[in-house]
Protein backbone atom coordinates (compact mmCIF):
# COMPACT_ATOMS: atom_id res chain seq x y z
CA UNK A 1 0.00 0.00 0.00
CA UNK A 2 0.78 3.54 -0.65
CA UNK A 3 1.15 5.91 2.25
CA UNK A 4 0.19 8.91 0.14
CA UNK A 5 -3.42 9.97 0.34
CA UNK A 6 -3.30 12.20 -2.71
CA UNK A 7 -3.76 15.41 -0.73
CA UNK A 8 -0.93 17.51 -2.05
CA UNK A 9 1.95 15.22 -1.19
CA UNK A 10 1.19 14.92 2.53
CA UNK A 11 1.94 11.42 3.74
CA UNK A 12 -0.54 9.92 6.21
CA UNK A 13 -0.71 6.39 7.46
CA UNK A 14 -4.20 4.87 7.07
CA UNK A 15 -4.35 3.63 10.68
CA UNK A 16 -3.59 7.11 12.01
CA UNK A 17 -6.58 8.56 10.21
CA UNK A 18 -8.99 6.46 12.26
CA UNK A 19 -7.74 7.87 15.57
CA UNK A 20 -7.92 11.51 14.50
CA UNK A 21 -11.51 12.09 15.64
CA UNK A 22 -12.55 10.59 18.98
CA UNK A 23 -16.15 9.49 19.14
CA UNK A 24 -16.72 9.96 22.87
CA UNK A 25 -19.12 12.73 23.82
CA UNK A 26 -18.74 12.68 27.62
CA UNK A 27 -16.36 15.10 29.31
CA UNK A 28 -13.82 13.86 31.83
CA UNK A 29 -14.53 14.72 35.44
CA UNK A 30 -11.49 17.01 35.70
CA UNK A 31 -12.72 19.22 32.85
CA UNK A 32 -16.09 19.56 34.52
CA UNK A 33 -14.24 20.46 37.72
CA UNK A 34 -12.30 23.20 35.93
CA UNK A 35 -15.55 24.69 34.66
CA UNK A 36 -17.18 24.43 38.07
CA UNK A 37 -14.18 26.07 39.75
CA UNK A 38 -14.21 28.83 37.15
CA UNK A 39 -17.88 29.52 37.75
CA UNK A 40 -17.21 29.51 41.49
CA UNK A 41 -14.50 32.14 41.15
CA UNK A 42 -16.77 34.17 38.87
CA UNK A 43 -19.62 34.09 41.39
CA UNK A 44 -17.28 35.03 44.24
CA UNK A 45 -15.91 38.01 42.32
CA UNK A 46 -19.39 39.02 41.14
CA UNK A 47 -20.71 38.75 44.70
CA UNK A 48 -17.89 40.96 45.95
CA UNK A 49 -18.60 43.45 43.16
CA UNK A 50 -22.24 43.63 44.23
CA UNK A 51 -21.31 44.77 47.76
CA UNK A 52 -20.79 41.30 49.24
CA UNK A 53 -24.04 39.71 48.19
CA UNK A 54 -24.31 36.72 50.52
CA UNK A 55 -26.20 34.44 48.09
CA UNK A 56 -23.68 34.89 45.27
CA UNK A 57 -20.74 34.45 47.64
CA UNK A 58 -22.21 31.31 49.17
CA UNK A 59 -22.98 29.83 45.75
CA UNK A 60 -19.48 30.73 44.54
CA UNK A 61 -17.89 29.10 47.59
CA UNK A 62 -19.84 25.89 47.07
CA UNK A 63 -19.01 25.78 43.36
CA UNK A 64 -15.34 26.48 44.05
CA UNK A 65 -15.00 23.70 46.63
CA UNK A 66 -16.98 21.27 44.46
CA UNK A 67 -14.83 22.03 41.44
CA UNK A 68 -11.64 21.67 43.44
CA UNK A 69 -12.71 18.25 44.65
CA UNK A 70 -13.65 17.23 41.09
CA UNK A 71 -10.27 18.32 39.74
CA UNK A 72 -7.97 16.63 42.25
CA UNK A 73 -10.34 14.06 43.75
CA UNK A 74 -12.08 13.80 47.10
CA UNK A 75 -9.29 11.91 48.85
CA UNK A 76 -6.58 14.36 47.79
CA UNK A 77 -8.82 17.32 48.68
CA UNK A 78 -9.37 16.02 52.21
CA UNK A 79 -5.71 15.12 52.62
CA UNK A 80 -4.72 18.63 51.47
CA UNK A 81 -7.08 20.51 53.78
CA UNK A 82 -6.65 18.31 56.85
CA UNK A 83 -2.88 18.07 57.17
CA UNK A 84 -1.65 18.79 60.68
CA UNK A 85 0.37 21.88 59.74
CA UNK A 86 -2.52 23.32 57.67
CA UNK A 87 -5.31 22.96 60.24
CA UNK A 88 -5.22 26.63 61.21
CA UNK A 89 -5.68 27.78 57.61
CA UNK A 90 -8.30 25.11 56.96
CA UNK A 91 -10.33 26.09 60.00
CA UNK A 92 -10.32 29.76 59.02
CA UNK A 93 -11.12 29.01 55.37
CA UNK A 94 -13.94 26.53 56.01
CA UNK A 95 -15.16 28.61 58.95
CA UNK A 96 -15.38 31.57 56.59
CA UNK A 97 -17.42 29.49 54.16
CA UNK A 98 -19.83 28.57 56.97
CA UNK A 99 -20.05 32.22 58.10
CA UNK A 100 -20.87 33.26 54.52
CA UNK A 101 -23.54 30.56 54.37
CA UNK A 102 -24.98 31.99 57.60
CA UNK A 103 -25.33 35.37 55.82
CA UNK A 104 -22.43 37.29 57.34
CA UNK A 105 -20.61 37.83 54.03
CA UNK A 106 -18.03 40.48 54.95
CA UNK A 107 -16.79 38.66 58.05
CA UNK A 108 -16.86 35.32 56.22
CA UNK A 109 -14.83 36.60 53.29
CA UNK A 110 -12.26 38.11 55.63
CA UNK A 111 -11.90 34.78 57.44
CA UNK A 112 -11.69 32.94 54.10
CA UNK A 113 -8.98 35.28 52.83
CA UNK A 114 -6.91 34.82 56.00
CA UNK A 115 -7.36 31.06 55.81
CA UNK A 116 -6.52 31.01 52.10
CA UNK A 117 -3.22 32.79 52.68
CA UNK A 118 -2.42 30.42 55.56
CA UNK A 119 -3.14 27.39 53.35
CA UNK A 120 -1.01 28.51 50.46
Amino acid sequence: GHLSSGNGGKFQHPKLLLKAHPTTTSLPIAEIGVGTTGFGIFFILFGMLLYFDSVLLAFGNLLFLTGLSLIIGLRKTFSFFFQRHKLKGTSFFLGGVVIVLLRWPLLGMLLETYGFFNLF
Side-chain angles (χ1 to χ4, degrees):
H2 293 112
L3 294 178
S4 174
S5 62
N7 55 0
K10 294 180 181 177
F11 294 102
Q12 294 177 348
H13 196 274
K15 290 183 182 177
L16 295 178
L17 293 175
L18 296 175
K19 296 180 182 178
H21 301 288
T23 58
T24 58
T25 58
S26 65
L27 291 174
I29 298 294
E31 290 183 17
I32 296 171
V34 169
T36 308
T37 305
F39 276 117
I41 292 171
F42 169 74
F43 277 110
I44 289 172
L45 293 176
F46 195 56
M48 289 171 62
L49 184 68
L50 292 176
Y51 301 110
F52 291 95
D53 183 46
S54 60
V55 175
L56 289 174
L57 290 174
F59 192 60
N61 282 329
L62 294 177
L63 284 175
F64 178 76
L65 290 175
T66 303
L68 184 68
S69 64
L70 287 175
I71 291 172
I72 64 175
L74 281 175
R75 184 172 293 156
K76 287 184 181 180
T77 302
F78 281 116
S79 67
F80 172 76
F81 277 111
F82 295 108
Q83 293 175 10
R84 184 173 297 278
H85 65 280
K86 292 184 179 181
L87 282 179
K88 180 181 175 184
T90 299
S91 61
F92 274 99
F93 183 75
L94 295 179
V97 171
V98 170
I99 296 296
V100 168
L101 289 173
L102 293 174
R103 303 221 178 211
W104 289 73
L106 187 59
L107 178 64
M109 289 305 291
L110 288 174
L111 291 174
E112 279 184 48
T113 305
Y114 180 71
F116 185 80
F117 285 120
N118 274 333
L119 281 172
F120 298 106

